Amino acid sequence: MKKLVSFGLLILCSFSSYANQCEIYWLMGSNEEAFTPCKVEAEQGNAEAQYILGLMYDEGDGIEQDVQKAAYWYKKAAAKGKSDAQFNLAVMYDEGDGIEQDKQKALYWYTKAAEQGNSNSQNNLGLMYDKGDGIEQDKQMALYWYTKAAEKGESNAQYNLAIMYEKGDGVEQDKQKAAYWYTKAAEKGESNAQFNLALMYDEGDGIEQDKQKVIYWYTKAAEKGHPSAQNNLAFMYDKGDGVEQDKVKAVYWFTKSAQQGVPDAQYNLALIYDKGDGIKQDKSLANEYFKQSCDLGFERACNKLKK
């Protein structure tokens, strides 16, 4: 889980006397210069400086990396109520990152930060309750915290919340709400949400079928490297399904997906090369893709190789 690197409200264009030297140097990118004032201010009990010093040790940014010292300063800032420090400390306990893994402490600090409105903590707390990770599974609590984070615009929470509504997992199934939250996450660039939203439009699953939106969202996800979206987009171009048939684009996206190990894409690409369907025939390359697909257990590809 990615740690936070953020700060409170600080007007960068006007370094007033209220802005401390630690923050000024840090925000200017002068990390080596920031260390000394940050250490001084941190030892004086300044929570912001403690958090920044924790970040510096955590990332080895301007000083030698030391996750033990990072945890030390995160704890200091967290105890003073700095929510970003609470989140980063929770991540360290959650993953056993530089300190002994402790799910109870992760839960404690996620909760502290979540109660202050930290959306990343709210999402991660939702995940712990959703999966029963270090705590008794509680879908209602998962739904609660996902919703809190989703409403703040946290794309991972929006995606997780959409899944719950789509599957009726711990909540009454509601495809309209699923599509709503998938859309929110998709608009923020969450590729899994883009893919799932495209599927819903493709199948008319709870929402009106719309092939143009299918193409749009598959393309968005495919461009971000989503292998299944690449395969499905290629298939639409291959068949002219909701879009003008384009074998070149089909081969392009099948290739992208095949290179990521999607057996269905490897099989479809092999068929195109085997027949010379819209591109130059290449039996050798076709056999190679059939073999790759077969090796991954795709039965139709194995049958083609036998023939």
Side-chain angles (χ1 to χ4, degrees):
M1 298 172 187
K2 188 176 181 181
K3 297 192 182 82
L4 289 177
V5 182
S6 60
F7 305 95
L9 296 177
L10 181 64
I11 303 174
L12 300 183
C13 59
S14 176
F15 295 118
S16 68
S17 58
Y18 297 101
N20 61 51
Q21 293 297 307
C22 172
E23 286 180 272
I24 291 173
Y25 282 125
W26 178 261
L27 292 169
M28 287 174 61
S30 304
N31 301 332
E32 292 183 3
E33 289 85 350
F35 176 72
T36 298
C38 282
K39 194 169 189 300
V40 170
E41 292 165 20
E43 288 171 346
Q44 291 174 347
N46 183 293
E48 196 71 28
Q50 291 168 341
Y51 169 60
I52 294 172
L53 194 57
L55 280 175
M56 293 179 75
Y57 279 119
D58 199 2
E59 299 172 356
D61 198 351
I63 55 175
E64 186 177 352
Q65 188 179 42
D66 190 326
V67 290
Q68 294 294 318
K69 289 182 179 178
Y72 174 83
W73 288 112
Y74 283 151
K75 287 176 186 177
K76 290 287 188 182
K80 289 181 176 293
K82 177 69 177 173
S83 65
D84 290 342
Q86 291 169 341
F87 172 74
N88 286 2
L89 182 59
V91 170
M92 294 184 81
Y93 279 121
D94 197 4
E95 299 180 347
D97 179 19
I99 55 179
E100 186 177 355
Q101 189 178 49
D102 190 323
K103 292 290 183 175
Q104 290 305 304
K105 288 182 180 178
L107 180 71
Y108 176 83
W109 288 114
Y110 279 143
T111 302
K112 286 290 187 183
E115 288 172 346
Q116 291 194 70
N118 185 292
S119 61
N120 291 283
S121 286
Q122 290 169 340
N123 176 65
N124 288 7
L125 189 55
L127 274 173
M128 292 188 76
Y129 280 114
D130 194 6
K131 307 301 180 186
D133 181 20
I135 187 174
E136 185 177 353
Q137 189 178 51
D138 189 328
K139 293 291 184 177
Q140 290 304 304
M141 288 296 286
L143 182 71
Y144 175 81
W145 288 115
Y146 282 153
T147 302
K148 286 286 188 183
E151 288 172 347
K152 287 180 173 292
E154 215 291 316
S155 61
N156 291 316
Q158 292 168 340
Y159 171 70
N160 292 334
L161 186 58
I163 289 177
M164 293 188 77
Y165 279 116
E166 184 181 12
K167 296 180 177 179
D169 181 21
V171 65
E172 185 178 354
Q173 189 178 50
D174 191 323
K175 295 296 180 95
Q176 294 294 316
K177 286 184 179 178
Y180 174 83
W181 288 114
Y182 277 141
T183 301
K184 289 291 187 181
E187 287 171 347
K188 290 181 176 292
E190 216 295 325
S191 63
N192 290 306
Q194 292 167 341
F195 175 73
N196 286 5
L197 185 59
L199 280 177
M200 293 186 76
Y201 279 119
D202 198 6
E203 299 169 0
D205 182 19
I207 55 178
E208 187 177 354
Q209 190 178 52
D210 189 326
K211 292 292 185 178
Q212 292 305 304
K213 289 182 179 178
V214 175
I215 291 291
Y216 177 82
W217 288 116
Y218 275 151
T219 301
K220 287 290 187 180
E223 288 172 346
K224 285 185 168 291
H226 194 291
S228 295
Q230 292 168 341
N231 177 64
N232 290 9
L233 182 60
F235 191 82
M236 294 185 79
Y237 278 119
D238 189 25
K239 304 304 180 185
D241 178 19
V243 67
E244 185 177 353
Q245 190 177 49
D246 190 324
K247 294 290 184 177
V248 173
K249 287 183 179 179
V251 169
Y252 175 81
W253 288 116
F254 275 141
T255 302
K256 288 287 188 181
S257 183
Q259 288 171 344
Q260 294 197 68
V262 176
D264 194 39
Q266 294 164 342
Y267 174 76
N268 288 328
L269 190 57
L271 287 178
I272 292 175
Y273 279 115
D274 190 37
K275 297 175 181 177
D277 186 12
I279 59 171
K280 184 178 179 181
Q281 189 179 47
D282 191 327
K283 292 283 189 178
S284 176
L285 193 54
N287 284 336
E288 176 58 32
Y289 280 117
F290 279 137
K291 185 178 185 305
Q292 288 180 19
S293 183
C294 178
D295 288 344
L296 291 171
F298 199 74
E299 189 175 345
R300 281 183 290 174
C302 297
N303 292 336
K304 281 286 185 181
L305 284 174
K306 290 175 184 176
K307 293 179 182 178

